[in-house]
């Protein structure tokens, strides 16, 4: 009993001291209050348990210890969160951050400041308050349809892969219609660090309807923030943060996506298609090649308006990473396509550009992407071979799944319909990984090995990913911009009405229109057994779909 008391009394005492220092004990609070249009209630144990165990030097106790002491600490933490929202006040202690520079890519130079991403380490309770606010702000935005539907970052059911599937589908559809696509890739420089707080607050009030105590809470959250840099254990002086939102926080990414909402309005004004993921923005126009000069003028006009908006709103476009492609069929020559001028600066047409981890070439063959993925995986497998004898087979499986399989599966839905000669590169990676795990020789038959590991071949993994996306679209757990690509078959008074079939759109070219997710998805879906198409549980569908493909591949 004494031991149990000692375990709970230390963190409880530290939390009480923290609460007293904030002036939060001894106050009363209503049972609920209105915040961002929804009813806020006391946080419960599950919210805390679902958070990760990351801790910061600002925390009085480690997060893992706090979670073990939930029964004793929950009332006090709940009161701290509730009073912060009720008083529209974020204590200064929760607005301090330790900034750690993280290298963006191991290939970048450590002597360049731009090679690092500044990550703010914040106290656990401050991030818990942000989590509660973020949840209610998200619910308010969704309830009133205030968000940008073509922004895929930091949103439930959205990812870089869903963004790529929609972008890939749109481009292939236009190419199948004998059109050319002009794509401009934009990147914002130091996106999180240049946000003007006054502009952000005005946008929250005028566009999102945040007012009263809610707006006052955001004003308190953004004001009087401080940070200090930590490198190799050495700390800089404390600096006041007058602009930007902290990377590493819960609300920071959400506030940034709201800050750039007007970009979508500008693109729609010029009737230009777009897709945004955080600070990466892709603008694209389809046109007949003989109308290329008019298209260039239209894109330059759009870019002028975007640059003007960015200048007024303290956002800087990264000119070094701004590129444009002219996407055409394999037989069309675009060497005479003019340069794109942006604010008296000419941008030369590129042959390829890397978007969200995928290298896109101007013929949309994805050969460079497949080659880079295979090259990266082969390099990792060679290094793994050096330590294979020192680890167990189970450890080797974990290592391969985390470093190889995840790389093969990333955005593999857009690889549907590629020639076998390209997909064979990825299949070679899969076979080598299987041999590494099982220790089999080079010339041993690979099919029994893949079957024993219960791995689907590369082609089936691609179809598997597409069908999972189709299922999510039909069940309403996918982005709206993907769901609108699918259309259910109308009832015609036949036995097929009850089979949950989809309409397969027509196309002209197998290598372009045939690769669209809007066509490949319905085609693969309609070829499934009736029992699979009528399934409603995602976990059961996922398990049975893999079993179905496994039998097709090996039985």
């Amino acid at each position: 009993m004494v031991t149990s008391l000692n375990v709970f009394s230390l963190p409880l005492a530290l939390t009480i001291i923290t609460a007293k220092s904030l002036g939060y004990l001894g106050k009363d609070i209503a049972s609920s209050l209105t915040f961002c249009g929804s009813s806020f209630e006391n946080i419960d144990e599950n919210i805390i348990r679902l958070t990760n165990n990351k801790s910061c030097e600002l925390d009085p106790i480690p997060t893992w210890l706090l979670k073990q002491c939930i029964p004793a600490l929950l009332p006090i933490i709940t009161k701290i969160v509730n009073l912060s929202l009720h008083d529209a006040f974020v204590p200064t202690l929760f607005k301090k951050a330790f900034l750690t520079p993280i290298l963006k890519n191991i290939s970048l130079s450590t002597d360049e400041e731009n090679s690092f991403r500044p990550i703010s380490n914040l106290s656990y309770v401050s991030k818990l308050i942000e989590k509660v606010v973020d949840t209610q702000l998200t619910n308010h935005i969704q309830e009133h349809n205030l968000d940008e539907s073509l922004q895929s970052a930091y949103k439930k059911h959205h990812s870089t892969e869903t963004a790529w599937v929609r972008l890939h589908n749109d481009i292939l559809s236009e190419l199948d219609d004998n059109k050319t696509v002009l794509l401009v890739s934009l990147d914002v420089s130091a996106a999180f660090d240049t946000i003007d707080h006054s502009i952000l607050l005005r946008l929250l009030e005028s566009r999102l309807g945040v007012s009263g105590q809610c707006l006052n809470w955001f004003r308190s959250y953004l004001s009087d923030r401080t940070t200090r840099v930590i490198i190799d254990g050495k700390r800089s002086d404390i600096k006041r943060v007058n602009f930007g939102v902290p990377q590493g926080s819960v609300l920071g990414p959400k506030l940034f996506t709201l800050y750039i909402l007007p970009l979508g309005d500008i693109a729609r004004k010029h009737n230009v298609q777009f897709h945004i993921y955080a600070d990466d923005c892709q603008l694209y126009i389809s046109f007949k090649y003989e109308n290329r000069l008019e298209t260039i003028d239209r894109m330059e006009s759009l870019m002028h308006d975007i640059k003007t908006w960015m200048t007024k709103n303290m956002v800087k476009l990264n000119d070094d990473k701004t590129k444009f492609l002219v996407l055409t069929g394999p037989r069309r020559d675009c060497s005479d396509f003019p340069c794109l001028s942006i604010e008296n600066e000419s941008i030369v047409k590129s042959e390829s550009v890397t978007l969200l981890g995928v290298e896109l070439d101007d013929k949309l063959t994805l050969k460079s992407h497949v080659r880079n993925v295979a090259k990266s995986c082969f390099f990792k497998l060679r290094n793994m071979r050096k330590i294979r004898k020192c680890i167990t087979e189970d450890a080797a499986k974990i290592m391969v799944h985390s470093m190889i399989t995840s790389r093969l599966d990333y955005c593999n839905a857009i690889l549907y319909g590629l020639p076998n000669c390209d997909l064979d590169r990825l299949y070679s990676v899969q076979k080598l990984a299987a041999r590494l795990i099982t220790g089999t020789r080079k010339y041993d038959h690979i099919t029994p090995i893949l079957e024993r590991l219960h791995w689907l071949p590369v082609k089936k993994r691609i179809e598997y990913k597409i069908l999972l996306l189709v299922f999510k679209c039909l069940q309403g757990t996918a982005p709206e911009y993907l769901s609108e690509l699918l259309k259910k078959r109308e009832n015609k008074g036949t036995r097929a009405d009850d089979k949950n079939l989809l309409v397969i759109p027509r196309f002209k070219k197998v290598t372009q229109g045939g690769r669209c997710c809007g066509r490949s998805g319905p085609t693969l879906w309609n070829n499934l057994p009736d029992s699979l198409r009528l399934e409603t549980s995602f976990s059961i569908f996922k398990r049975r779909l893999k079993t179905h493909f496994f039998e097709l591949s090996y039985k």
Side-chain angles (χ1 to χ4, degrees):
M1 183 67 181
V2 175
T3 303
S4 176
L5 180 60
N6 290 337
V7 170
F8 282 100
S9 56
L10 175 60
L12 179 60
L14 291 172
T15 307
I16 291 176
I17 291 173
T18 302
K20 285 184 176 180
S21 67
L22 301 176
Y24 272 175
L25 291 184
K27 292 185 178 181
D28 296 328
I29 182 172
S31 59
S32 64
L33 54 106
T34 299
F35 191 80
C36 288
S38 60
S39 176
F40 173 79
E41 298 178 354
N42 292 351
I43 61 174
D44 58 18
E45 186 175 340
N46 291 330
I47 296 179
I48 297 179
R49 292 197 182 278
L50 289 175
T51 56
N52 57 44
N53 290 331
K54 291 183 179 180
S55 298
C56 174
E57 294 184 34
L58 296 168
D59 292 319
I61 58 173
T63 303
W64 63 266
L65 179 59
L66 182 146
K67 290 185 177 182
Q68 291 183 3
C69 305
I70 286 298
L73 300 180
L74 184 61
I76 296 177
I77 296 176
T78 301
K79 176 160 273 193
I80 292 175
V81 175
N82 289 346
L83 284 170
S84 175
L85 298 180
H86 180 267
D87 295 345
F89 174 73
V90 180
T92 305
L93 180 64
F94 292 163
K95 292 188 284 189
K96 294 180 179 180
F98 286 155
L99 193 148
T100 304
I102 303 296
L103 194 64
K104 296 179 180 179
N105 193 307
I106 58 175
S107 62
L108 298 177
S109 172
T110 56
D111 297 329
E112 298 289 336
E113 295 180 358
N114 294 333
S115 301
F116 294 90
R117 179 176 288 108
I119 302 298
S120 297
N121 296 311
L122 304 164
S123 64
Y124 174 76
V125 178
S126 69
K127 289 189 288 187
L128 189 61
I129 296 175
E130 290 185 49
K131 179 64 177 177
V132 175
V133 174
D134 178 66
T135 301
Q136 297 200 20
L137 179 62
T138 301
N139 292 338
H140 169 72
I141 291 173
Q142 292 177 349
E143 181 181 352
H144 298 88
N145 195 25
L146 301 172
D147 203 2
E148 174 55 65
S149 61
L150 295 176
Q151 166 68 266
S152 295
Y154 317 117
K155 294 166 68 174
K156 190 176 182 181
H157 306 313
H158 293 64
S159 66
T160 55
E161 183 154 20
T162 60
W164 245 114
V165 169
R166 178 56 194 257
L167 178 66
H168 186 253
N169 181 90
D170 290 348
I171 295 174
L172 283 176
S173 298
E174 298 299 340
L175 296 184
D176 188 62
D177 198 26
N178 294 321
K179 292 182 179 180
T180 305
V181 176
L182 170 63
L183 183 143
V184 177
S185 175
L186 306 180
D187 183 80
V188 178
S189 179
F192 284 70
D193 303 329
T194 60
I195 291 179
D196 186 279
H197 295 165
S198 59
I199 297 176
L200 176 60
L201 291 171
R202 287 199 300 270
L203 185 141
L204 288 174
E205 182 177 18
S206 61
R207 179 156 184 162
L208 302 177
V210 179
S211 59
Q213 287 290 84
C214 307
L215 188 64
N216 291 335
W217 186 94
F218 281 104
R219 184 176 288 108
S220 176
Y221 170 79
L222 294 170
S223 63
D224 300 325
R225 301 195 72 91
T226 58
T227 187
R228 65 193 312 174
V229 181
I230 300 181
I231 300 178
D232 295 333
K234 298 181 180 179
R235 304 182 181 183
S236 69
D237 296 333
I238 297 177
K239 297 295 182 181
R240 187 184 180 94
V241 180
N242 297 319
F243 297 93
V245 290
Q247 295 192 50
S249 64
V250 178
L251 273 175
K254 171 72 70 176
L255 293 177
F256 173 77
T257 59
L258 297 177
Y259 191 78
I260 61 173
L261 280 177
L263 283 181
D265 301 336
I266 299 173
R268 289 188 178 93
K269 175 184 175 182
H270 290 265
N271 196 24
V272 174
Q273 292 180 281
F274 67 96
H275 205 107
I276 308 174
Y277 190 91
D279 60 335
D280 292 319
C281 180
Q282 282 72 52
L283 309 169
Y284 49 104
I285 309 174
S286 62
F287 60 98
K288 293 293 185 180
Y289 195 73
E290 54 269 20
N291 299 328
R292 56 188 179 277
L293 296 180
E294 298 176 8
T295 304
I296 281 286
D297 292 340
R298 189 166 145 203
M299 182 62 76
E300 289 178 348
S301 176
L302 169 61
M303 293 301 301
H304 172 76
D305 288 354
I306 289 178
K307 289 275 285 189
T308 302
W309 178 87
M310 287 185 171
T311 303
K312 291 181 179 179
N313 291 272
M314 308 289 290
V315 180
K316 184 180 185 300
L317 188 65
N318 193 338
D319 295 330
D320 295 336
K321 293 185 178 181
T322 299
K323 298 181 179 180
F324 84 94
L325 289 178
V326 180
L327 300 156
T328 64
R331 300 180 181 178
R332 175 169 288 170
D333 182 20
C334 296
S335 57
D336 61 338
F337 200 88
C339 296
L340 187 66
S341 298
I342 302 177
E343 298 293 327
N344 299 324
E345 294 186 11
S346 296
I347 301 177
V348 181
K349 178 174 66 70
S350 303
E351 294 183 357
S352 65
V353 61
T354 301
L355 306 176
L356 304 176
V358 176
E359 185 173 351
L360 177 68
D361 57 275
D362 55 3
K363 304 300 181 184
L364 214 65
T365 61
L366 297 177
K367 289 181 180 292
S368 298
H369 171 68
V370 172
R371 183 170 56 250
N372 292 339
V373 170
K375 181 180 179 181
S376 173
C377 290
F378 280 133
F379 175 77
K380 293 177 182 177
L381 287 171
R382 283 195 296 270
N383 290 334
M384 291 179 191
R385 186 176 292 278
K386 299 176 182 178
I387 63 170
R388 175 61 186 90
K389 294 182 179 180
C390 304
I391 60 177
T392 63
E393 182 172 313
D394 290 338
K397 286 181 181 179
I398 295 174
M399 186 168 58
V400 167
H401 283 313
S402 62
M403 302 180 68
I404 305 300
T405 307
S406 60
R407 190 75 178 91
L408 293 177
D409 287 346
Y410 177 70
C411 283
N412 62 343
I414 65 174
L415 304 181
Y416 180 84
L418 290 184
N420 291 335
C421 58
D422 293 331
L423 296 181
D424 284 345
R425 290 177 179 267
L426 304 182
Y427 189 46
S428 298
V429 172
Q430 190 181 41
K431 291 188 290 185
L432 185 59
R435 296 187 191 280
L436 176 72
I437 292 175
T438 57
T440 52
R441 295 175 300 178
K442 179 178 180 180
Y443 295 104
D444 289 342
H445 192 39
I446 193 63
T447 302
I449 300 173
L450 296 176
E451 184 177 4
R452 180 165 74 85
L453 293 173
H454 211 75
W455 286 5
L456 294 175
V458 170
K459 278 190 175 182
K460 291 301 179 184
R461 297 183 79 89
I462 294 172
E463 296 177 5
Y464 178 75
K465 176 68 72 61
I466 294 174
L467 286 170
L468 290 183
L469 289 175
V470 172
F471 182 87
K472 291 178 180 179
C473 290
L474 296 178
Q475 297 296 321
T477 55
E480 183 181 353
Y481 57 73
L482 288 186
S483 300
E484 64 187 22
L485 298 178
L486 305 178
K487 183 179 180 181
K488 285 191 175 183
R489 178 183 179 274
E490 297 180 358
N491 293 337
K492 298 182 179 180
T494 63
R495 287 178 292 180
D497 292 345
D498 299 328
K499 293 185 177 181
N500 198 19
L501 297 173
L502 298 176
V503 175
I504 302 177
R506 295 182 179 181
F507 66 97
K508 299 177 181 178
K509 306 171 186 175
V510 176
T511 57
Q512 293 175 351
R515 290 169 52 195
C516 294
C517 182
R519 183 194 177 275
S520 61
T523 302
L524 295 172
W525 179 262
N526 290 354
N527 289 332
L528 289 177
D530 294 347
S531 57
L532 264 177
R533 289 199 306 272
L534 298 174
E535 184 58 60
T536 57
S537 171
F538 179 72
S539 58
I540 297 176
F541 175 81
K542 187 176 180 180
R543 183 176 66 251
R544 291 182 59 192
L545 179 62
K546 184 173 182 180
T547 302
H548 172 67
F549 278 156
F550 189 80
E551 292 176 350
L552 291 178
S553 302
Y554 301 111
K555 301 301 183 182

